[in-house]
Structures are given as structure tokens and as C-alpha cells.
Amino acid sequence: MKRIAIDMDEVIADALSECLQRYNAEFNRGLTKQDLIGKNIADLAPAEHRPRLRSYFDDEQFFRDLPVMEGSQEVIEDLMARYDVFIASAAMEVPCSFGPKFEWLRRHFPFLPPDNIVFCGDKSIVAADFLIDDSVYQLERFRGEGILFSTPRNVYETKYRRVDNWPEVRELFLAGAGVSAPGRRR
Amino acid sequence: MKRIAIDMDEVIADALSECLQRYNAEFNRGLTKQDLIGKNIADLAPAEHRPRLRSYFDDEQFFRDLPVMEGSQEVIEDLMARYDVFIASAAMEVPCSFGPKFEWLRRHFPFLPPDNIVFCGDKSIVAADFLIDDSVYQLERFRGEGILFSTPRNVYETKYRRVDNWPEVRELFLAGAGVSAPGRRR
């Protein structure tokens, strides 16, 4: 069975919406995802706001109630019938997120065994055939085939096969011969 | 550069001593590591003690002050000059251990970048050339070459190349052509 590793933030967990909401509320701004095409929030924030922006991730509460990306639960459950599915999050950047991320996964993806969860830093350590991730930094390190999950920041990236949403992940991995090495039960 | 992944409990962190100490103190027993040759503590504990034994791992304090296995710090620092070294712990079994394990590594192995830490469940997800681990269960899953680190429970295992201690790890990986695919800087 081929193995698919799947990132968390911006792929199954909508951390960007939470970040925008906190930033807009704190600084009385009205930034939207549209404003972030090709950019990070920090690119649109005055220098004096940036320490506060960074501090949002030091609050473990940030990770507790993130919205689930639409369609991710149904598609992942269906993928598990044909692929070995792991969730791989670069949680080492934010040690306070370990517990909340684990609980979030147990709550929203109860069908995924805890043994199939990985908290790492550099995703070159992930042994899988595919990695679905919004981070070009991580896809460059990964040793299998990288699939770029669209997020406003990465829209100009052209190096990787791209999926815009979970129906497109379903189409790529479950509808036919979309992937270069289609998963088949051995 | 070849990559070595290294387990935590019983390899760099002496969790067994802590477990024995708690068990002996609570039940007024005198079990030693010698008594555990080929066995788990649970094999030597009456059934009514076992829930308490399991509960030790639900106490995050358990993981905070574990003794460092002798020689592991010096040898790992030296390995890092010739190998890409990751710490890979099956922490998903004990979610309360994430934070304490991370802090323990930062305190006792400050030279190891956090990006080189992995908390996982099933070590088949670890992409490395070698895995040094006391668990045959994990070595069976790992896709590279498994090196069995001796612990009382595993002394009768014969399927893997064995190291008894950290000087033997040094000998195997740094003294010459001991490993089947010796690490060389590219």
C-alpha cells in the first residue's frame, strides 16, 4: 500500500483564519486571505506588530479550536481504504502545540490511529510516497513526491503538482491514474 | 551524509530505572534490572499492581528528570560530525510526555537542533539509514538497518546487530567499517 503523509496547518487545520482573526481584532484591521496572495501576514504588518503576531503561536489555546479544512475528514477517511495515511506536522517549531494538536486530531479525525501521527521539524525524516503540504520549504526536503496544497502565500509556486482543496485531493488519489505512482493494495 | 535515528527511552533516557524505583517504593519490593532479563516489569508484578504500573507513564513528571544513559551525550555529539542524527521517540503512546520529552532533550542534548526531533508512533515513518532502538517491535517496522540497543528485556533477541552501551555505538559508527553502509560526508 502506498503511503501518503499529510500536513496539518493550512491543509487540514485552518490556522490562517485564526491568525487573521486574532490580528484583525487586536490591531483593528481588516486583512483577508485575498490580501495574502503571495505573502505572509507579517509582510503586511508594521514591524511593531510582528512580535505580537509571533506570540499567537506561543499560546497553546491557538491550536485547540482551529476550524477543520472543508472536506478533509471525509476524503482522508476514504483515502485510508486505499493508502497508508499519516499526519505529519512540523510541530517542533511550536512545542506548546504538541498536546493541543494531538487532542485536535483525536477529536476531528478519530478514525486515524495515533500511531499514524508524526510531530517533526524537518520533513526529510518522513518516509512516505507522497506528502501533501502547503510549505515549499518542507516539500523541498521531503524524499518522496510532493503535492502542494494551495494557500494564499504559495499561489505563485510552480515546482509541484498542486491541489486547491480536498475534492481535488480525492480526484488525484482516488479517481484514477492521477498520481505518478498510483496507490494499489499490494 | 548517512542518517542515524536514535530512540529515547532505554537508549538515551533511563526510564526503566525510574519505573523500577517508583514500583519498588510503592509496593515495598526490591526488583532490579537483573530480575528483568527477558521480561517486562509487568511480568513480575501481581495483576493488581499493573494498573498502577501503567499509570506511572500517565504522569508527565515521570519524563522530566530521567537519568541520561551514560556516554550518550558525548557519543551523539561526535556522531553529528559524520552523520545526520535524529532522535525518534514513540511518544504517541504517551501524549502527556511530548512537552517533558522535548524539554529533556533541549536540556541534556542542547547541541541537537529541535528540527532533528521526531515524535511518532510507528517507526516505519522514520526515513533514516539506521535506527538504534531497544524495541524489536519498532526495528521490525523500520525500513533501514536496525541496531538493537541492549536492555534487560531484549537480551535473548538475535535478529539484529546489537550494541550494549554507548561506547559500543561509538565503536560501530565511528571507529571504522563496522556498519554495513558506513557514513561518509558526501
Side-chain angles (χ1 to χ4, degrees):
Chain A
M1 207 185 263
K2 292 277 178 184
R3 178 176 289 175
I4 305 176
I6 299 169
D7 178 36
M8 284 185 76
D9 293 333
E10 307 320 306
V11 176
I12 62 172
D14 189 358
L16 184 56
S17 288
E18 176 70 17
C19 198
L20 276 172
Q21 195 209 307
R22 287 188 179 214
Y23 179 68
N24 286 334
E26 179 167 357
F27 294 102
N28 196 27
R29 296 196 63 182
L31 294 184
T32 67
K33 288 187 177 181
Q34 272 303 313
D35 298 318
L36 294 173
I37 302 291
K39 298 193 184 77
N40 293 311
I41 299 184
D43 299 329
L44 297 176
E48 64 270 26
H49 293 180
R50 289 180 200 154
R52 284 295 303 151
L53 263 176
R54 277 192 294 274
S55 77
Y56 298 159
F57 302 101
D58 295 331
D59 170 14
E60 66 169 69
Q61 199 56 41
F62 181 93
F63 297 95
R64 287 206 185 282
D65 296 309
L66 295 181
V68 179
M69 296 291 269
E70 198 177 336
S72 60
Q73 289 151 309
E74 300 79 0
V75 176
I76 287 177
E77 193 161 15
D78 290 347
L79 284 173
M80 287 172 66
R82 281 191 47 198
Y83 297 87
D84 192 19
V85 175
F86 277 68
I87 300 296
S89 176
M92 292 301 147
E93 296 164 8
V94 191
C96 77
S97 73
F98 299 144
K101 282 189 169 196
F102 184 82
E103 287 158 24
W104 188 94
L105 284 168
R106 297 305 296 146
R107 187 159 79 245
H108 296 294
F109 294 81
F111 45 83
L112 187 97
D115 268 4
N116 290 31
I117 299 171
V118 186
F119 293 154
C120 59
D122 174 343
K123 291 190 186 172
S124 71
I125 197 68
V126 175
D129 299 290
F130 304 97
L131 171 63
I132 304 174
D133 205 304
D134 69 305
S135 163
V136 170
Y137 174 89
Q138 295 293 0
L139 292 183
E140 280 171 352
R141 277 148 190 77
F142 178 61
R143 297 167 173 201
E145 181 177 345
I147 309 284
L148 187 65
F149 196 95
S150 291
T151 194
R153 191 186 63 250
N154 72 27
V155 292
Y156 298 125
E157 293 292 341
T158 55
K159 268 204 308 202
Y160 296 93
R161 191 190 301 235
R162 175 185 292 277
V163 286
D164 281 341
N165 50 49
W166 279 93
E168 287 193 17
V169 175
R170 179 191 293 283
E171 178 70 20
L172 182 62
F173 285 98
L174 292 174
V179 291
S180 59
R184 294 274 178 270
R185 279 184 190 276
R186 278 192 296 224
Chain B
M1 204 185 263
K2 293 277 179 186
R3 178 176 289 174
I4 305 176
I6 300 169
D7 178 37
M8 284 185 75
D9 293 332
E10 306 320 307
V11 176
I12 62 172
D14 189 357
L16 184 56
S17 288
E18 176 70 16
C19 199
L20 277 172
Q21 195 209 307
R22 287 186 178 216
Y23 179 68
N24 286 334
E26 179 166 356
F27 294 102
N28 197 24
R29 295 197 63 181
L31 294 185
T32 67
K33 287 187 178 182
Q34 272 302 314
D35 298 319
L36 293 173
I37 301 291
K39 298 193 183 76
N40 293 310
I41 300 184
D43 299 329
L44 298 176
E48 65 270 25
H49 293 180
R50 289 180 200 155
R52 283 296 305 151
L53 261 176
R54 278 192 294 274
S55 77
Y56 298 160
F57 301 102
D58 295 331
D59 170 12
E60 64 169 68
Q61 199 56 40
F62 181 93
F63 298 95
R64 288 205 184 282
D65 296 310
L66 295 181
V68 179
M69 296 289 270
E70 198 178 336
S72 59
Q73 289 152 309
E74 300 78 0
V75 176
I76 287 177
E77 193 161 15
D78 290 348
L79 284 173
M80 288 172 66
R82 279 191 49 198
Y83 296 87
D84 192 19
V85 175
F86 277 68
I87 300 297
S89 176
M92 291 302 146
E93 295 163 10
V94 190
C96 77
S97 73
F98 299 144
K101 282 189 167 195
F102 184 83
E103 287 158 25
W104 188 94
L105 284 168
R106 297 306 296 148
R107 188 159 78 245
H108 296 293
F109 294 81
F111 45 82
L112 187 98
D115 268 4
N116 290 29
I117 300 170
V118 186
F119 293 154
C120 59
D122 173 343
K123 291 189 186 172
S124 71
I125 197 67
V126 175
D129 299 289
F130 304 98
L131 171 63
I132 304 174
D133 206 303
D134 68 306
S135 162
V136 170
Y137 174 89
Q138 295 293 0
L139 292 183
E140 280 172 352
R141 277 149 190 77
F142 178 62
R143 297 168 172 199
E145 180 176 346
I147 309 285
L148 187 65
F149 196 95
S150 290
T151 194
R153 191 188 61 249
N154 72 26
V155 293
Y156 298 124
E157 292 292 342
T158 55
K159 266 203 310 198
Y160 297 93
R161 190 189 302 237
R162 175 185 292 277
V163 286
D164 281 341
N165 50 46
W166 279 93
E168 288 193 15
V169 176
R170 180 191 292 283
E171 178 71 18
L172 183 62
F173 285 99
L174 293 174
V179 290
S180 59
R184 294 275 178 269
R185 278 183 191 278
R186 277 192 297 225

